[in-house]
Amino acid sequence: MSHAPALLVIDMQNALLPVMHRPAATVAAIAGLCTRARAAGVPVVTVQHHGGGLEPGTEGWRVVPELDPAPGEPLVAKTTADAFLGTDLDAVLGSLGVTEVLITGFATENCVETTARQALSRGFDLVLVADGHTTSVRDEGTDFVPADQAVAHHNEIYRHIDFPDRRVRVLPADRVDFGPA
């Protein structure tokens, strides 16, 4: 099978920045990947959440400026944590001949995790970009694990996940290679 990656940028929207853990570092890592992917001819697919206060046309709904899709790049609208459910993401990736998705975005335990598992179930190889996804900030006194631990936990899960006939990797952004496998 040929190696054909696509970079997925999930829910990196203006209204979500204030609740993100380490937003500047995450945006910078993803922006660097977008630049490198485009230069290598690798598709960048932006996934944008609609609903829950993120309504089309509002400033909060817009993708952060550093990650705006380039003209002609696919933009997939979703309404659930699963970027495949009720969307055309599978068809978009299929039309581009994609065999591997590189997952980035917000939020680690929700949209990133759900979309990563669905990508595997749908036959895609997977790269979870270790420093290209983040979770929400944590209030003291909650049962959530600290944000850094949540991100590290998910990175570790994907380092050890066993999924039949799939290649699964966890790489920091600076180790992602958009060349042939």
Side-chain angles (χ1 to χ4, degrees), residues 30-57:
I30 298 170
L33 285 168
C34 289
T35 298
R36 291 175 34 228
R38 290 174 182 130
V42 170
V44 176
V45 179
T46 302
V47 177
Q48 190 176 30
H49 192 81
H50 292 207
L54 296 172
E55 302 311 323

Side-chain angles (χ1 to χ4, degrees), residues 76-142:
V76 174
K78 69 176 185 60
T79 58
T80 70
D82 178 355
F84 288 96
L85 182 64
T87 74
D88 63 350
L89 180 57
D90 210 11
V92 166
L93 296 174
S95 73
L96 296 168
V98 171
T99 60
E100 177 181 65
V101 292
L102 292 88
I103 304 275
T104 66
F106 179 78
T108 298
E109 309 93 328
N110 200 1
C111 301
V112 169
E113 163 72 7
T114 304
T115 301
R117 297 264 178 160
Q118 284 299 314
L120 289 168
S121 291
R122 291 168 185 264
F124 295 98
D125 290 334
L126 178 74
V127 174
L128 179 62
V129 180
D131 53 347
H133 66 96
T134 192
T135 190
S136 57
V137 294
R138 309 298 196 200
D139 292 329
E140 288 187 35
T142 69

Side-chain angles (χ1 to χ4, degrees), residues 16 24 44 59 63-64 68 78 86 122 125 145 147-148 165 172 174 179:
L16 300 174
V44 176
E59 188 57 33
V63 174
V64 298
D68 265 343
K78 69 176 185 60
R122 291 168 185 264
D125 290 334
V145 297
D148 282 331
D165 303 318
D174 65 358

Side-chain angles (χ1 to χ4, degrees), residues 12 17 20 22-33 64-67 131:
M12 294 301 291
L17 283 176
M20 283 183 197
R22 60 178 178 76
T26 304
V27 168
I30 298 170
L33 285 168
V64 298
E66 300 91 334
L67 303 177
D131 53 347

